Amino acid sequence: MGIAFGVVFVCGAVYTLLLLTDGNGFGLFGLPVLALGAGLLRNGAKVLAGVAHSGDRLSQLASIPAALSGLAIGGMVAGADWDDDASLVQLVGFAAAFLLALILIVLCDRPATKTYLEEN
């Protein structure tokens, strides 16, 4: 799941970096997203390989999209223009990212995962 999350982040970062050709500075936001995606991919592969402490690192990385999505959900609920169809789509996207990150954190902290990674 961490690898899939990383692939989504890397693809989103590449798309965002392609926006640099439009002449706006928004594309620079893709650089930290690319680093986060690469970290998720790397640590997801390490969890599958059974490297010690990779589950803790993966759950720490997954806390970043969980926190940002939670903040975005709270901000949208507080002040979004619900007459716009795009607001609901964004809210669903943030909620999905929050839930996926939460599931990833829970899976990394399971006792079976800790035993597999020999972290007990």
Side-chain angles (χ1 to χ4, degrees):
M1 186 167 187
I3 293 173
F5 219 29
V7 167
V8 169
F9 272 81
V10 168
C11 291
V14 169
Y15 172 73
T16 306
L17 285 170
L18 290 175
L19 292 176
L20 281 173
T21 58
D22 290 342
N24 58 14
F26 182 71
L28 292 176
F29 181 70
L31 293 175
V33 174
L34 184 64
L36 178 63
L40 286 166
L41 279 169
R42 179 177 172 257
N43 286 302
K46 284 187 173 189
V47 166
L48 289 179
V51 176
H53 303 293
S54 57
D56 290 336
R57 290 185 199 124
L58 187 59
S59 65
Q60 288 172 355
L61 281 173
S63 67
I64 296 170
L68 292 176
S69 296
L71 288 172
I73 290 169
M76 288 189 74
V77 168
D81 180 17
W82 296 109
D83 293 335
D84 187 14
D85 291 337
S87 296
L88 184 61
V89 173
Q90 288 176 354
L91 183 63
V92 168
F94 285 130
F98 180 77
L99 289 175
L100 288 175
L102 186 66
I103 290 169
L104 182 60
I105 292 169
V106 169
L107 287 176
C108 287
D109 289 336
R110 287 184 54 219
T113 305
K114 299 279 187 187
T115 303
Y116 171 71
L117 297 173
E118 300 173 358
E119 294 179 0
N120 289 337

